[in-house]
Amino acid sequence: MKFKLEKRDFKPFLQSLIDGYDLYAPVHLAEGVPVYRKMGRPDEVDLSLLNPQKSLKEVFFPQDEVMFRYEKVDQETQMVSTEEVKRERVVLGARPCDIEAISIIEEVFSGREYTDIYFLNKRKATMIIGMACHQPLPTCFCSSTGGGPFVRKGSDLFLIDLGEAYLVEILTEKGEAFKKNKFFKKTSAKNLQLAKELEEKASKKTDSTIPVKGIDQKLDQWVESPFWDRVHEKCISCRVCTYLCPTCHCFDIMDEALNEKGQRVRNWDSCLSEFYTLETSGHNPRATCRERTRQRLMHKFNYFPKVFDRIACVGCGRCILYCPVNFDIREVIKEINAK
Amino acid sequence: MMEKSWEPKILAFLCNWCSYAGADLAGTSRIQYPSNIRVIRVPCSGRINPLFILKALQSGVDGVLVSGCHPGDCHYLSGNYIGRRKSATLKCFLEFLGIEGGRVQFSWVSAAEGVKFSRVVQEVTEEVKKLGPLKKFKKSSWFGVQSSEKENE
Amino acid sequence: MIQQKLREIAKELLMKKEVDLIIGFGEGTLPLRATPIFVRDPEEAERIIWNSFCENNLATYLHKFDRFKVGLIVKGCDARSVVALNLEKRFKNNPPFLIGVPCQRMVDRRKVKKAVKGEILKVLEEDDRIIVEGEGFQVILKRDDFLYPSCQVCTHRTPVQANVLVDQPVEELPLVESHPDMDQFESKSLEERWKFFENEASRCIRCYACREACPMCYCRECFVDSSRPKWIEKGLSPSDLTFYHMVRAYHQSGRCSGCGSCERACPMEIRLNYLTQKLNRDAKELFGFEVGINPDGPPPLSTFETEDKQDFIK
């Protein structure tokens, strides 16, 4: 089902979402720094911004999240769960790369033995309004990883910016709740034609040449390769790539407490941090940057595919854009492929 | 019902050899000083890690006092000199950032200066009282002072 | 030309085996970027470049490569960082061989990106101009208008210490007593200053890019990693974010060379340089110490004068 949403109806449409749901969309935090936030007012939303540094994952997997609270009253310990999602949520303006990444995280968090109730509850209660990516950057290589700027997979509704209006595609059962939305008008053949042209134009812009096909098999032989002795050199072991990566999902659990009250919190963590694998004995299996860089790249392109049959990279290019030392994962992939 | 006016909470780091003894002397001499201060005894004013001061402010105190031996009298010879440099740097920096200078104060109080100690505490309490409760930088959480839950949505 | 000279020196040092590796800059994979490279063979020296995008402080790699004899290409600020590290006795056996480049000041890539409309595909430098080419546009910018804030106020562009200088020392800015930007900031009210700082810190995602990019942050266990005592949590509580930046800056007192790497590394574009600028100014005013200029030290917070300022002490 396809509809047209006029730009002049956009703010009222947003207001209707804010009234009925918790709406998450990109806002301006500072010039050049958009983030996903819960909306209070329609005019905060800005869909023209570049893909936020902090990806969509923080809407489902917050950087710091309380897992439960407790309070000791007399001899009893009362626990307060934080698992429940109180209100249905809508995410607006998510790009196909980030949406694909959520499904990658979901593979892990809806695992065979353990499920992550915090992530899953949020995921179940969220409707995703995806947005077509009109201006892929030179660093975008989603089409190499099996995605693309107009890929609809994972979206319940999909928006394409036609200039004067948005083309709205209803794609799932969840999205059908909007079938009768008063702001959705009939489309014209011209709308559909324009959408098609925009899709062709954008798809040509992303980099389809990054050779990730078959990389997982190639890396099978590479764990002890001297390749890793040079790759890590410029990496400074900060956490920018992992925190901005839409698929990275490591976390650290800590307890915060004072006297009778406390809470258990989980925070994002990064395998690139020196202490990530530090054991109580003092031994650290990944003591140097070489092991850590190897781990990160092998995890994305070998270990994860072995378990889940897909690579853990969506080609969003954030790690390339924001790395302080211009470590470029595309160069590494090309080098692996060339050998 | 009479409303109890707000009283500031002040944390005082006193060096064991001079200032703490001076405070003790004030006590034994029955010299009154405001009960707003809570004392932590440290071996030397040079031991004060600026993180102590910041953590104290974050945890809910409204002012911090660090007191040590007079220059030249340090039990460890030069601890208070080093502490003096750290204090100067920290105080300038905090003021620059926007935390009132009056909240982080320093003094030299010797073991014989019970009267001075009481005066210093009096002054610091008055100055911090004038500044009001510290609202900025304080860590808020559902259970008081330790950590916060950040609902970033 | 500086680039050619760097390649020649690097090649010579490697051939004579005077160093195990040269750490310099190579061509980046994005416009407006150069990237650190690690050259071990004399033939590889051809990869070394020099331009206005060589923004990283390469001294931060000295900790990672401390087992090797390193030839380090340094700008003015980087050289001062090496002097500061030397003062802290970081080079027991392997002092680096410093290849000094009098710095032409580095270009702020974010400022350039924000000044043009559209995606940048290629950037060229020509004398005092930056030619920015993108999709369907070409813009010519005046280089001097697009320098990093830390570079604009730099008074030590020529490395203060270097084993070899690849060019003539440049004319430095006069050593002014005050920085106009800093003065303007300090003239704001207390509340405004706090609001600015808190607002900047609120964007922080605790990625520690600032910490890792800084050559002076080399503690095995940083205060944020400490669990006994636990100074701050690992999450995004606003109070903790300000705490982290306050303390990281404070730990640079008397040590920071003002290279600006912290600010350049930050993915959320947080203003950080002004914090250390203030501390550096205080170190100079209170203790007469300036990083790199007093190579024999001692570090200001590890020593004292009997006549140190104490008018703030009751």
Side-chain angles (χ1 to χ4, degrees):
Chain A
M1 275 170 275
K2 298 189 199 214
F3 297 93
K4 181 172 72 172
L5 174 61
E6 301 275 1
K7 287 269 173 91
R8 58 167 179 268
D9 289 333
F10 191 56
K11 288 225 168 87
F13 173 62
L14 290 181
Q15 187 59 54
S16 69
L17 289 176
I18 293 172
D19 292 335
Y21 304 85
D22 280 347
L23 173 66
Y24 292 83
V27 314
H28 232 68
L29 199 59
E31 205 196 331
V33 188
V35 284
Y36 284 101
R37 282 284 184 271
K38 189 158 88 168
M39 291 293 106
R41 293 186 330 269
D43 45 345
E44 291 172 344
V45 176
D46 192 342
L47 293 183
S48 69
L49 299 171
L50 38 91
N51 212 359
Q53 279 96 327
K54 269 182 110 177
S55 66
L56 185 63
K57 78 179 176 187
E58 71 162 328
V59 177
F60 299 92
F61 173 52
Q63 180 158 1
D64 54 359
E65 184 167 24
V66 177
M67 298 170 77
F68 61 77
R69 299 199 170 100
Y70 70 84
E71 186 174 351
K72 287 205 191 113
V73 180
D74 297 326
Q75 298 301 324
E76 259 186 42
T77 305
Q78 295 173 349
M79 310 266 285
V80 176
S81 154
T82 54
E83 297 163 16
E84 193 197 331
V85 177
K86 302 220 165 74
R87 214 175 167 213
E88 289 289 305
R89 295 138 44 102
V90 171
V91 160
L92 176 68
R95 313 268 175 122
C97 49
D98 280 4
I99 299 171
E100 173 74 3
I102 300 297
S103 73
I104 289 177
I105 301 180
E106 203 170 336
E107 298 265 25
V108 177
F109 283 13
S110 61
R112 295 131 207 223
E113 286 169 71
Y114 304 102
T115 54
D116 189 301
I117 195 78
Y118 306 96
F119 177 88
L120 287 177
N121 280 359
K122 291 189 177 70
R123 182 69 191 90
K124 279 191 205 122
T126 306
M127 189 179 80
I128 297 184
I129 304 181
M131 197 173 77
C133 190
H134 288 269
Q135 302 277 28
L137 301 175
T139 46
C140 292
F141 59 102
C142 49
S143 43
S144 298
T145 57
F150 274 61
V151 164
R152 276 88 163 159
K153 177 166 168 246
S155 297
D156 297 298
L157 294 183
F158 194 72
L159 293 183
I160 301 173
D161 191 340
L162 301 175
E164 297 284 305
Y166 290 105
L167 181 70
V168 183
E169 299 181 4
I170 298 186
L171 300 167
T172 63
E173 217 176 282
K174 222 181 207 172
E176 281 188 16
F178 282 75
K179 222 167 28 180
K180 302 253 172 59
N181 189 289
K182 63 180 176 185
F183 298 108
F184 289 1
K185 310 259 159 53
K186 253 181 78 178
T187 57
S188 68
K190 224 168 77 176
N191 297 145
L192 300 177
Q193 178 60 26
L194 179 58
K196 214 157 145 238
E197 285 167 15
L198 290 169
E199 179 165 354
E200 271 172 36
K201 195 163 143 213
S203 302
K204 286 207 195 84
K205 277 177 135 189
T206 60
D207 190 344
S208 322
T209 68
I210 307 298
V212 289
K213 274 207 161 53
I215 197 172
D216 52 326
Q217 279 139 343
K218 256 216 151 121
L219 284 173
D220 270 340
Q221 314 302 324
W222 281 54
V223 181
E224 293 303 333
S225 164
F227 172 75
W228 304 112
D229 298 338
R230 296 295 300 268
V231 159
H232 75 93
E233 279 174 337
K234 68 170 105 172
C235 176
I236 53 176
S237 293
C238 68
R239 304 171 183 212
V240 173
C241 52
T242 48
Y243 281 14
L244 301 190
C245 175
T247 67
C248 277
H249 49 267
C250 285
F251 56 88
D252 186 22
I253 299 179
M254 311 261 270
D255 283 347
E256 305 170 1
L258 185 68
N259 302 327
E260 290 78 37
K261 293 192 199 173
Q263 59 190 16
R264 180 158 292 173
V265 179
R266 75 162 169 199
N267 299 296
W268 287 356
D269 203 352
S270 169
C271 59
L272 290 175
S273 130
E274 198 188 332
F275 292 158
Y276 186 73
T277 45
L278 181 65
E279 297 164 10
T280 336
S281 61
H283 172 62
N284 189 346
R286 297 187 205 140
T288 77
C289 194
R290 171 186 171 273
E291 286 84 48
R292 296 194 290 271
T293 325
R294 173 180 66 180
Q295 149 63 24
R296 181 150 196 274
L297 293 165
M298 289 290 279
H299 179 251
K300 285 212 171 306
F301 296 107
N302 182 270
Y303 308 151
F304 194 93
K306 272 192 156 45
V307 183
F308 298 108
D309 264 328
R310 62 202 287 196
I311 54 168
C313 175
V314 294
C316 73
R318 285 183 177 90
C319 55
I320 305 164
L321 280 171
Y322 298 107
C323 175
V325 296
N326 192 209
F327 186 103
D328 198 322
I329 204 171
R330 299 172 297 182
E331 299 301 305
V332 178
I333 296 171
K334 286 184 198 158
E335 233 184 290
I336 295 171
N337 192 61
K339 288 215 176 20
Chain B
M1 187 178 78
M2 243 247 293
E3 208 186 78
K4 204 170 155 198
S5 70
W6 165 78
E7 287 294 329
K9 227 188 263 182
I10 298 170
L11 196 59
F13 292 97
L14 306 181
C15 90
N16 176 63
W17 305 98
C18 289
S19 298
Y20 189 82
D24 204 34
L25 180 61
T28 52
S29 314
R30 302 288 182 260
I31 303 173
Q32 299 272 26
Y33 57 83
S35 57
N36 303 70
I37 67 157
R38 283 92 167 117
V39 171
I40 293 182
R41 183 171 62 114
V42 294
C44 178
S45 56
R47 192 266 176 273
I48 304 300
N49 186 342
L51 277 109
F52 295 174
I53 300 176
L54 293 176
K55 185 99 177 145
L57 292 173
Q58 206 191 36
S59 304
V61 306
D62 304 293
V64 176
L65 167 66
V66 174
S67 186
C69 307
H70 286 267
D73 296 344
C74 178
H75 182 84
Y76 305 99
L77 307 181
S78 56
N80 58 352
Y81 285 126
I82 307 285
R84 180 167 63 180
R85 281 209 167 186
K86 284 196 273 192
S87 309
T89 311
L90 184 69
K91 199 169 154 91
C92 283
F93 190 48
L94 285 180
E95 179 101 41
F96 172 77
L97 288 172
I99 295 185
E100 299 94 330
R103 295 198 187 274
V104 183
Q105 304 237 25
F106 306 89
S107 64
W108 302 137
V109 170
S110 84
E113 290 179 314
V115 174
K116 180 174 180 187
F117 179 74
S118 139
R119 178 173 56 79
V120 165
V121 173
Q122 189 80 41
E123 281 174 19
V124 170
T125 309
E126 270 168 25
E127 285 164 34
V128 174
K129 195 152 186 201
K130 265 203 216 103
L131 293 171
L134 177 66
K135 296 216 177 78
K136 56 178 84 149
F137 187 47
K138 209 155 128 181
K139 201 162 184 178
S140 61
S141 89
W142 71 288
F143 53 79
V145 299
Q146 266 295 304
S147 265
S148 100
E149 107 224 359
K150 170 123 170 50
E151 283 280 314
N152 75 336
E153 17 261 26
Chain C
M1 227 185 95
I2 292 179
Q3 185 170 287
Q4 194 49 41
K5 200 91 201 292
L6 285 171
R7 291 177 184 176
E8 286 166 14
I9 293 173
K11 194 163 180 182
E12 197 183 320
L13 287 169
L14 287 167
M15 285 203 307
K16 291 196 184 147
K17 295 210 198 293
E18 280 178 44
V19 296
D20 296 322
L21 85 154
I22 301 269
I23 305 179
F25 289 97
E27 212 54 70
T29 62
L30 300 169
L32 297 163
R33 299 300 298 269
T35 190
I37 59 169
F38 303 81
V39 177
R40 294 161 200 270
D41 296 319
E43 298 81 56
E44 265 191 281
E46 290 303 303
R47 287 173 56 208
I48 295 174
I49 63 153
W50 188 259
N51 57 30
S52 302
F53 311 120
C54 295
E55 62 177 45
N56 306 83
N57 188 333
L58 298 177
T60 192
Y61 290 107
L62 291 172
H63 310 297
K64 200 167 163 182
F65 291 91
D66 58 0
R67 288 177 297 123
F68 301 94
K69 180 93 176 111
V70 171
L72 193 71
I73 295 178
V74 290
K75 314 186 280 292
C77 47
D78 310 341
R80 288 168 65 215
S81 294
V82 176
V83 172
L85 288 171
N86 199 32
L87 200 60
E88 294 176 9
K89 301 187 169 58
R90 290 294 294 175
F91 311 127
K92 282 173 279 189
N93 307 313
N94 276 325
F97 185 100
L98 296 182
I99 305 165
V101 184
C103 179
Q104 72 259 41
R105 298 188 221 273
M106 295 294 128
V107 164
D108 189 338
R109 55 185 155 94
R110 290 178 188 139
K111 210 168 169 185
V112 173
K113 271 194 207 143
K114 287 173 189 161
V116 303
K117 278 197 160 43
E119 202 45 47
I120 297 176
L121 294 173
K122 200 162 90 167
V123 177
L124 297 160
E125 278 188 273
E126 220 175 71
D127 304 316
D128 62 344
R129 296 171 304 156
I130 310 169
I131 303 161
V132 183
E133 281 172 23
E135 241 178 277
F137 70 86
Q138 192 199 69
V139 175
I140 300 184
L141 303 170
K142 196 158 156 241
R143 193 177 169 280
D144 277 350
D145 293 338
F146 289 89
L147 303 171
Y148 273 114
S150 51
C151 295
Q152 284 167 21
V153 296
C154 177
T155 49
H156 300 290
R157 292 156 57 201
T158 307
V160 293
Q161 252 190 36
N163 297 78
V164 59
L165 267 184
V166 299
D167 203 3
Q168 294 304 312
V170 289
E171 201 185 315
E172 305 283 5
L173 278 183
L175 288 165
V176 287
E177 288 308 320
S178 59
H179 294 150
D181 279 346
M182 283 286 279
D183 286 343
Q184 202 212 26
F185 185 76
E186 290 204 28
S187 69
K188 293 197 176 137
S189 76
L190 202 84
E191 294 308 320
E192 282 179 293
R193 295 201 297 267
W194 177 256
K195 202 149 157 248
F196 178 79
F197 172 57
E198 197 184 36
N199 193 43
E200 291 292 309
S202 69
R203 291 202 288 285
C204 179
I205 60 172
R206 305 288 292 275
C207 67
Y208 305 129
C210 50
R211 181 183 78 176
E212 303 298 344
C214 177
M216 305 313 294
C217 276
Y218 56 77
C219 288
R220 292 256 35 228
E221 187 186 82
C222 176
F223 77 94
V224 298
D225 296 320
S226 170
S227 56
R228 276 192 180 190
K230 185 156 57 156
W231 300 110
I232 51 174
E233 304 295 346
K234 294 191 191 289
L236 301 178
S237 125
S239 173
D240 280 347
L241 297 177
T242 51
F243 194 114
Y244 167 65
H245 286 289
M246 261 190 231
V247 176
R248 202 194 80 80
Y250 177 85
H251 284 171
Q252 304 306 318
S253 172
R255 308 167 69 226
C256 170
S257 66
C259 69
S261 287
C262 46
E263 200 170 297
R264 298 169 195 182
C266 179
M268 306 302 271
E269 303 192 20
I270 297 174
R271 300 289 313 279
L272 295 168
N273 211 42
Y274 78 106
L275 297 172
T276 44
Q277 247 180 39
K278 163 66 178 171
L279 284 159
N280 285 343
R281 215 159 73 144
D282 282 351
K284 197 156 171 218
E285 277 172 20
L286 295 170
F287 315 128
F289 182 88
E290 206 180 340
V291 165
I293 310 306
N294 313 63
D296 302 317
L301 289 183
S302 72
T303 186
F304 63 93
E305 296 285 337
T306 44
E307 298 312 310
D308 274 336
K309 169 182 149 123
Q310 60 169 36
D311 51 8
F312 62 97
I313 302 183
K314 288 198 194 301

